[in-house]
Amino acid sequence: GAGVSQSPSNKVTEKGKDVELRCDPISGHTALYWYRQSLGQGLEFLIYFQGNSAPDKSGLPSDRFSAERTGGSVSTLTIQRTQQEDSAVYLCASSPPIGEQYFGPGTRLTVT
Amino acid sequence: AQSVTQLDSQVPVFEEAPVELRCNYSSSVSVYLFWYVQYPNQGLQLLLKYLSGSTLVKGINGFEAEFNKSQTSFHLRKPSVHISDTAEYFCAVSDLGRDDKIIFGKGTRLHILP
């Protein structure tokens, strides 16, 4: 079946502009995660959605970052007033109630 | 809160030598445990997982890991590494007693020396 998809695969934006990153999880997966990975670094947790529960936003680095998950499926990560330090690969993952995460290919964001 | 510790940020190993990558997590009643691998310029893929049953788990590419509840560890091992094993390895834990969120360690970079 289809895996986790993310769009766009690459995004170049100017400093100060807003960007939206999209994640389509695997159908039926109740959990959805967003991570950030800077060059040569580990995974930085951003936000976690689990079913109808309130999302865990504890990893969002600033109030410029927000995310929503509509209808328990597609998720959008929004970064307002982008800064150069926001440049990274943004990864989305989904998981069923029991089991591992399945990762998308990521969106490479470059802020110039 | 649950935490995952990968003590070694980098591990150099000669080709065909054995390797162990260490992972410890903070104590909890019930956990699921995972190892993921990220090859250079690629995405993350699951190497192996422990959900229940046998504490010795075998994964892809000859890797295995052992769940040790008393030591709260889930170390990854391979008896003989190859150049193709050069990658970043991430340990992850899901705490079933809390919100089931999967927490990742900071990763261990495995360097295979010729």
Side-chain angles (χ1 to χ4, degrees):
Chain A
V4 178
S5 60
Q6 293 185 245
S7 61
S9 55
N10 280 283
K11 176 72 176 179
V12 180
T13 190
E14 291 181 354
K15 177 181 173 181
K17 296 286 180 68
D18 298 351
V19 294
E20 284 190 352
L21 312 180
R22 177 187 169 105
C23 172
D24 283 87
I26 294 173
S27 178
H29 280 192
T30 55
L32 188 148
Y33 300 74
W34 282 98
Y35 297 93
R36 180 168 69 176
Q37 189 173 35
S38 300
L39 188 63
Q41 300 299 309
L43 296 172
E44 179 185 3
F45 165 75
L46 297 177
I47 189 168
Y48 165 57
F49 296 90
Q50 175 60 273
N52 295 321
S53 301
D56 178 348
K57 304 180 182 180
S58 60
L60 295 178
S62 76
D63 58 8
R64 296 187 295 106
F65 288 73
S66 63
E68 62 176 19
R69 188 178 185 192
T70 54
S73 181
V74 172
S75 178
T76 302
L77 177 69
T78 302
I79 308 173
Q80 296 178 311
R81 305 180 302 282
T82 52
Q83 304 294 313
Q84 287 189 330
E85 60 263 29
D86 299 335
S87 296
V89 175
Y90 288 81
L91 294 167
C92 175
S94 69
S95 65
I98 296 176
E100 69 271 23
Q101 291 174 318
Y102 294 76
F103 281 83
T107 293
R108 183 175 298 277
L109 176 65
T110 303
V111 182
T112 61
Chain B
Q2 181 66 263
S3 64
V4 180
T5 303
Q6 292 183 247
L7 285 172
D8 306 304
S9 59
Q10 295 190 62
V11 173
V13 182
F14 285 105
E15 195 171 15
E16 297 184 11
V19 69
E20 178 179 85
L21 305 183
R22 296 179 292 169
C23 174
N24 289 85
Y25 61 93
S26 54
S27 179
S28 182
V29 176
S30 296
V31 292
Y32 292 155
L33 298 157
F34 312 90
W35 275 98
Y36 286 82
V37 60
Q38 187 175 33
Y39 297 104
N41 301 313
Q42 294 189 28
L44 277 92
Q45 63 182 92
L46 183 71
L47 202 55
L48 51 78
K49 62 185 176 186
Y50 170 80
L51 302 182
S52 65
S54 172
T55 56
L56 182 63
V57 179
K58 294 189 183 298
I60 61 173
N61 301 337
F63 283 92
E64 64 180 31
E66 186 158 18
F67 169 46
N68 188 319
K69 189 172 184 178
S70 63
Q71 297 186 3
T72 60
S73 68
F74 191 54
H75 301 332
L76 182 70
R77 302 185 182 98
K78 185 170 182 177
S80 176
V81 296
H82 302 282
I83 285 288
S84 59
D85 293 323
T86 297
E88 187 94 19
Y89 292 81
F90 294 94
C91 180
V93 176
S94 175
D95 188 340
L96 305 182
R98 300 184 76 249
D99 58 2
D100 297 340
K101 186 170 80 176
I102 298 176
I103 306 294
F104 277 81
K106 294 187 181 299
T108 298
R109 186 156 297 172
L110 181 61
H111 292 284
I112 308 300
L113 308 171

